[in-house]
């Protein structure tokens, strides 16, 4: 079963490659911490993808990337937030470069690699990774990954990151 479609204006949770007028659209629900999602991402979305160059670049296919956080991986939401933050700071191009870097480096963010790290440490590493991949300032990306101090002050226990949390 497919989840209900996201609103058309929801660019935070959906990014697309290809023309909106393409005769076909393929929506993919992918997670940055999932090895199977990484394979699918590489085959479809990567700049090196033959499918992308043959069908997306020729406007025959539109690819839509939907964020699919896997809750059993604690870092999953943080990885998605890092990609979203890159897009917020640097636009679509930064999102895709950040997504590529996250997929290529997902082994650095497995459960066993992060078991002794705090949320702040993981967020700092993610911000550095995507900022470097996109040519952005690390602190600009990191500022979007920090917990919302106003939500904390209100007593919210799960306030999420500043406006981009899941």
């Amino acid at each position: 079963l497919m989840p209900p479609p996201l609103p058309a204006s929801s660019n935070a949770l959906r990014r697309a490659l290809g023309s909106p007028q393409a005769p076909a659209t393929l929506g993919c629900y992918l997670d940055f911490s999932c090895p199977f999602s990484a394979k699918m991402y590489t085959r479809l979305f990567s700049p090196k993808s033959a499918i992308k160059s043959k069908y997306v670049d020729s406007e025959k296919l539109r690819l839509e990337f939907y964020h699919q956080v896997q809750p059993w991986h604690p870092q999953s939401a943080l990885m998605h937030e890092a990609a979203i933050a890159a897009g917020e700071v640097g636009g679509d191009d930064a999102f895709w470069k950040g997504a590529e870097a996250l997929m290529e480096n997902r082994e650095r963010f497995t459960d066993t690699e992060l078991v002794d790290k705090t949320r702040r440490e993981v967020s700092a590493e993610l911000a550095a990774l995507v900022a470097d991949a996109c040519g952005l300032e690390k602190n600009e990306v990191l500022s979007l990954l920090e917990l919302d101090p106003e939500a904390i002050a209100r007593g919210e226990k799960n306030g999420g990151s500043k406006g981009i949390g899941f």
Side-chain angles (χ1 to χ4, degrees), residues 33-87:
S33 62
C34 173
F36 304 108
S37 290
K39 287 179 184 180
M40 182 66 71
Y41 180 91
T42 301
R43 292 242 166 95
L44 295 175
F45 292 91
S46 174
K48 301 168 244 170
S49 164
I51 292 171
K52 182 183 171 299
S53 63
K54 184 173 182 179
Y55 297 102
V56 176
D57 295 346
S58 65
E59 298 186 1
K60 295 176 184 172
L61 176 68
R62 178 177 171 87
L63 293 174
E64 292 184 346
F65 176 106
Y66 291 91
H67 293 273
Q68 181 61 53
V69 173
Q70 295 183 357
W72 50 89
H73 294 298
Q75 72 283 5
S76 179
L78 297 176
M79 293 174 79
H80 285 276
E81 289 177 1
I84 292 169

Side-chain angles (χ1 to χ4, degrees), residues 34-150:
C34 173
F36 304 108
S37 290
K39 287 179 184 180
M40 182 66 71
Y41 180 91
T42 301
R43 292 242 166 95
L44 295 175
F45 292 91
S46 174
K48 301 168 244 170
S49 164
I51 292 171
K52 182 183 171 299
S53 63
K54 184 173 182 179
Y55 297 102
V56 176
D57 295 346
S58 65
E59 298 186 1
K60 295 176 184 172
L61 176 68
R62 178 177 171 87
L63 293 174
E64 292 184 346
F65 176 106
Y66 291 91
H67 293 273
Q68 181 61 53
V69 173
Q70 295 183 357
W72 50 89
H73 294 298
Q75 72 283 5
S76 179
L78 297 176
M79 293 174 79
H80 285 276
E81 289 177 1
I84 292 169
E88 291 288 317
V89 173
D92 282 342
D93 188 52
F95 170 82
W96 292 112
K97 287 179 180 176
E100 185 80 7
L102 287 164
M103 287 297 189
E104 288 176 353
N105 291 278
R106 66 173 199 75
E107 291 292 326
R108 288 179 42 199
F109 299 97
T110 61
D111 299 344
T112 54
E113 292 295 319
L114 302 178
V115 69
D116 293 324
K117 295 187 179 181
T118 67
R119 178 190 170 110
R120 281 194 173 117
E121 291 170 330
V122 174
S123 293
E125 286 185 35
L126 289 166
L129 174 69
V130 299
D132 184 53
C134 305
L136 303 172
E137 292 294 323
K138 175 190 168 192
N139 288 337
E140 208 173 349
V141 175
L142 185 58
S143 72
L144 294 175
L145 301 179
E146 294 172 346
L147 291 176
D148 184 348
E150 293 175 14

